[in-house]
């Protein structure tokens, strides 16, 4: 019976539909509870069978929100084919289907704009205007879709109905506004409309650092292009190198540069403009140079701190025994081989040395781990902080503790019987 119902939907045969429902009143319910690639309402909507659609919606309006294997609703299919009356019937039953996106991330308003079905687009915008602000794949808006498909009238309609300054200048994932796309595709009418009738930002820079004027200047081939350049100039358009970047633009460019670089050696990012080369942002190069210098200095300081830790000032005791020479505090005390001489002779100085040395060692290791972790350090402030830490470590390394008492001893404290232990030679009496 499902096969017969599909045939009736293809033909738009309302009488056959009624006969089948007379035989099985639950026939349409199976398409709601079961797993079918599409429903008879999808077929009838795609083919524009209005009476069949009315009859199905009158008996089972829930079928209007069912989606097929491509996540398309009957409203998607009716919109794609441009069946205005079918779409109106579906909207009356469930206008929220304007917000449902198919497998490609497009809702019925996106499809109507891309196809240029203006009457349908008006109905959909009137039913759910905020559906026009839903983003598609690659972060593109419905305005991007209009420009890509060269649908100027649909663009004018949407700019007048649902667009504001922020939405009009929205960027996709590549940082391109609709003006960038229009210039790249040489859509002269769209460009003239945008620069004459909207508040499009002609100075906006994309992810590659190009303004609209930069893109147009690369491929000036005819008089029309030159006229567009003049029009852009009149409303304040500039090349990217002529206008300073905003903080958000600088942040985006720096992030892209730092993540794209695979060689730790700073290098120039080259892009061909005829015979010219566009260099990477100077601030990013400065950060990369400082990163390499910090890595080198931090490694040296960590090695110095480690060496000082295993071989402290004044050395270590070479044997076990009684301290026969040192300060008064440690005089006559036992010492152990391998322990610091300074720790026994002047524990306060040794403690200060140990704290400073450990702090410098850990700080250097922390900076090394931070730099090799791949974390993008995009601000000069953070780099200055790391440089100050390195400077403090360097001062610790350059000012070892004074061990005035630990390295000096008085003559009377020298063990007196060294010669006795060695033994003096017997001199024969003549």
């Amino acid at each position: 019976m499902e096969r017969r119902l599909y045939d009736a939907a293809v033909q738009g045969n309302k009488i056959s539909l009624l006969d089948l429902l007379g035989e099985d009143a639950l026939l349409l319910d199976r398409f709601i509870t079961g797993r079918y690639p599409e429903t008879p309402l999808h077929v009838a909507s795609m083919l524009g069978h209005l009476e069949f659609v009315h009859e199905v919606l009158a008996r089972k309006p829930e079928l209007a929100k069912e989606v097929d294997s491509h996540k398309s609703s009957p409203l998607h299919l009716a919109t794609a084919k441009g069946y205005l009356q079918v779409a109106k019937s579906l909207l009356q039953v469930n206008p929220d289907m304007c917000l449902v996106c198919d497998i490609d991330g497009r809702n019925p308003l996106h499809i109507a704009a891309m196809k240029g079905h203006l009457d349908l687009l008006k109905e959909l915008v009137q039913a759910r205007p905020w559906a026009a602000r839903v983003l598609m794949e690659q972060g593109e808006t419905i305005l991007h879709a209009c420009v890509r498909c060269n649908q100027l009238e649909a663009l004018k309609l949407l700019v007048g109905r649902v667009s504001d300054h922020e939405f009009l200048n929205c960027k996709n994932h590549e940082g391109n506004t609709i003006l960038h796309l229009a210039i790249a595709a040489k859509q002269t009418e769209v460009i003239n409309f945008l620069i004459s009738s909207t508040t499009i930002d002609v100075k906006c820079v994309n992810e590659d650092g190009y303004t609209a004027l930069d893109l147009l200047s690369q491929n000036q081939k005819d008089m029309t292009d030159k006229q567009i350049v003049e029009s852009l100039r009149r409303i304040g358009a500039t090349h990217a190198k002529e206008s300073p970047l905003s903080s958000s633009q600088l942040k985006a460019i720096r992030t892209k540069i730092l993540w794209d670089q695979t060689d730790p050696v700073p290098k120039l990012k080259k892009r061909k403009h005829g015979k010219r080369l566009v260099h990477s942002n100077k601030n990013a190069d400065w950060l990369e140079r400082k990163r390499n210098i910090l890595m080198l200095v931090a490694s040296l300081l960590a090695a110095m701190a480690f060496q000082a830790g295993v071989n402290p000032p004044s050395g270590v005791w070479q044997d076990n025994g009684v301290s026969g020479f040192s300060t008064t505090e440690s005089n006559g005390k036992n010492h152990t081989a391998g322990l610091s001489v300074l720790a026994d002779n002047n524990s306060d100085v040794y403690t200060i040395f140990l704290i400073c040395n450990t702090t410098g060692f850990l700080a250097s290791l922390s900076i090394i781990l931070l730099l090799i972790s791949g974390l993008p350090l995009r601000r000069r402030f953070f780099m200055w902080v790391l440089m100050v830490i390195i400077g403090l470590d360097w001062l610790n390394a350059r000012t070892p503790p004074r061990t005035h008492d630990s390295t000096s001893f008085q003559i009377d404290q020298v063990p007196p019987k060294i010669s006795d232990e060695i033994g003096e030679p017997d001199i024969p009496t003549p």
Side-chain angles (χ1 to χ4, degrees), residues 322-332 345 404-418:
V322 178
S323 301
F325 61 96
S326 66
T327 62
T328 306
E329 296 178 2
S330 61
N331 190 24
N345 293 341
H404 48 281
D405 290 333
S406 62
T407 58
S408 63
F409 52 88
Q410 300 187 10
I411 300 299
D412 57 1
Q413 292 176 334
V414 177
K417 298 299 183 180
I418 296 178

Side-chain angles (χ1 to χ4, degrees), residues 142-160:
I142 192 172
L143 302 182
H144 287 87
C146 291
V147 175
R148 286 194 182 278
C149 298
N150 199 14
Q151 297 294 342
L152 177 58
E153 297 303 321
L155 178 65
K156 291 180 178 179
L157 172 65
L158 292 167
V159 168

Side-chain angles (χ1 to χ4, degrees), residues 115-386:
K115 294 288 185 179
H117 300 315
L118 298 183
D119 293 336
L120 253 173
L121 185 58
K122 291 177 183 178
E123 292 292 334
L124 295 171
V125 170
Q126 184 176 357
R128 289 293 183 268
W130 56 88
R133 293 181 174 269
V134 176
L135 298 181
M136 300 185 296
E137 291 183 340
Q138 304 301 321
E140 294 193 339
T141 66
I142 192 172
L143 302 182
H144 287 87
C146 291
V147 175
R148 286 194 182 278
C149 298
N150 199 14
Q151 297 294 342
L152 177 58
E153 297 303 321
L155 178 65
K156 291 180 178 179
L157 172 65
L158 292 167
V159 168
R161 294 283 185 94
V162 298
S163 180
D164 52 26
H165 179 75
E166 182 179 358
F167 187 69
L168 181 68
N169 292 282
C170 188
K171 298 180 180 181
N172 60 12
H173 289 168
E174 296 176 350
N176 291 316
T177 64
I178 56 176
L179 182 59
H180 285 95
L181 297 184
I183 289 177
K186 291 299 185 69
Q187 298 178 9
T188 306
E189 294 182 353
V190 175
I191 296 171
N192 289 330
F193 166 71
L194 291 175
I195 63 179
S196 62
S197 304
T198 68
T199 59
I200 193 72
D201 185 4
V202 295
K203 297 182 180 180
C204 190
V205 180
N206 64 9
E207 289 293 328
D208 294 325
Y210 298 147
T211 63
L213 193 59
D214 290 328
L215 295 177
L216 192 58
S217 299
Q218 294 177 30
N219 299 310
Q220 291 186 26
K221 296 181 180 180
D222 51 34
M223 187 61 73
T224 304
D225 293 339
K226 294 181 180 179
Q227 292 174 355
I228 296 174
V229 170
E230 293 176 0
S231 300
L232 289 171
R233 283 290 191 184
R234 282 197 299 269
I235 62 175
T238 60
H239 291 284
K241 62 181 181 180
E242 298 175 1
S243 58
L245 300 179
S246 64
S247 57
S248 59
Q249 292 166 348
L250 281 173
K251 182 178 180 181
I253 293 175
R254 291 170 189 163
T255 303
K256 189 174 187 300
I257 292 173
L258 291 174
W259 279 107
D260 288 346
Q261 285 179 336
T262 56
D263 190 349
V265 179
K267 56 186 177 181
L268 295 178
K269 185 179 181 181
K270 300 179 180 179
R271 292 187 179 277
K272 293 185 178 180
H273 293 273
K275 296 182 179 180
R276 296 180 299 138
L277 294 176
V278 176
H279 299 283
S280 300
N281 186 271
K282 293 182 179 179
N283 190 62
D285 290 340
W286 184 89
L287 291 173
E288 189 64 23
R289 289 195 301 271
K290 295 305 178 185
R291 174 192 290 264
N292 297 329
I293 294 173
L294 284 176
M295 176 66 77
L296 176 62
V297 176
S299 301
L300 292 175
L301 291 178
M304 293 172 60
F306 177 78
Q307 182 64 27
V310 298
N311 188 18
S314 300
V316 296
W317 295 111
Q318 302 299 318
D319 57 359
N320 298 327
V322 178
S323 301
F325 61 96
S326 66
T327 62
T328 306
E329 296 178 2
S330 61
N331 190 24
K333 292 184 180 180
N334 291 332
H335 61 258
T336 304
L339 296 184
S340 173
V341 175
L342 180 61
D344 287 338
N345 293 341
N346 199 329
S347 60
D348 293 337
V349 174
Y350 181 74
T351 301
I352 295 174
F353 159 74
L354 199 60
I355 293 174
C356 293
N357 189 70
T358 304
T359 302
F361 182 67
L362 294 179
S364 300
L365 284 184
S366 301
I367 292 176
I368 294 172
L369 293 176
L370 180 64
L371 294 176
I372 68 175
S373 65
L375 204 65
L377 302 175
R378 300 184 294 270
R379 295 183 181 273
R380 286 175 176 259
F381 173 74
F382 296 130
M383 198 61 71
W384 283 115
V385 171
L386 296 181

